[in-house]
Amino acid sequence: MASKGKDNEYFRLPDLSWMLLVTFGLYLMVCSLHKPDWVPFDYLGPLGALSRYLATEHPHLVNGIILVAFLIHSAYVVYTVSLMRKTQLSSSAQFKWYITIFIFGGFSLIHLRRYVYNTQHKD
């Protein structure tokens, strides 16, 4: 019975490297467009030059990239709602999954999909 309660609280973050990469990417996109003074373009090598160029010469493209990323991450959350119907996770665990999947996208979603698959195919 104790393991059932533990299963109801299942939650796992993506690897730290993915979390840092996604966080930095979101920071770079948003700040290069809205607060370019906050971005150390000179220290980022070719990525900094590309980011500066896109933010100054093609801000509409950067806005589009940000919008598409937002829509994709929102779609991941909608998909997560359908996955949650297949689980017996607690409300607090579900909330954690929704937040991390919205922020980290597929890098977090893969762990939930694996959990749902394993619970459905358990003998």
Side-chain angles (χ1 to χ4, degrees):
M1 197 65 142
S3 65
K4 184 76 169 167
K6 184 179 178 186
D7 285 347
N8 287 346
E9 294 298 323
Y10 177 78
F11 175 72
R12 182 175 172 193
L13 287 170
D15 293 335
L16 180 61
S17 58
W18 290 122
M19 290 172 47
L20 293 173
L21 182 68
V22 170
T23 303
F24 179 72
L26 291 173
Y27 166 82
L28 185 61
M29 293 302 293
V30 172
C31 287
S32 66
L33 183 64
H34 298 291
K35 295 284 187 182
D37 301 346
W38 292 6
V39 180
F41 293 115
D42 297 332
Y43 297 105
L44 298 176
L47 181 61
L50 176 65
S51 299
R52 179 182 288 146
Y53 171 74
L54 289 175
T56 57
E57 300 297 322
H58 302 287
H60 58 281
L61 180 62
V62 177
N63 264 335
I65 292 170
I66 292 169
L67 177 63
V68 167
F70 176 80
L71 292 174
I72 289 171
H73 284 233
S74 298
Y76 282 150
V77 172
V78 170
Y79 176 62
T80 302
V81 170
S82 71
L83 281 179
M84 288 298 176
R85 292 185 183 135
K86 300 175 184 177
T87 68
Q88 298 296 321
L89 293 175
S90 69
S91 297
S92 63
Q94 288 183 20
F95 180 74
K96 291 175 195 175
W97 279 112
Y98 293 139
I99 296 299
T100 58
I101 288 173
F102 181 73
I103 296 170
F104 302 117
F107 300 114
S108 187
L109 182 60
I110 194 167
H111 296 300
L112 179 62
R113 289 188 60 198
R114 193 172 296 139
Y115 170 76
V116 170
Y117 177 82
N118 289 339
T119 56
Q120 286 181 339
H121 293 89
K122 214 190 296 187
D123 288 331

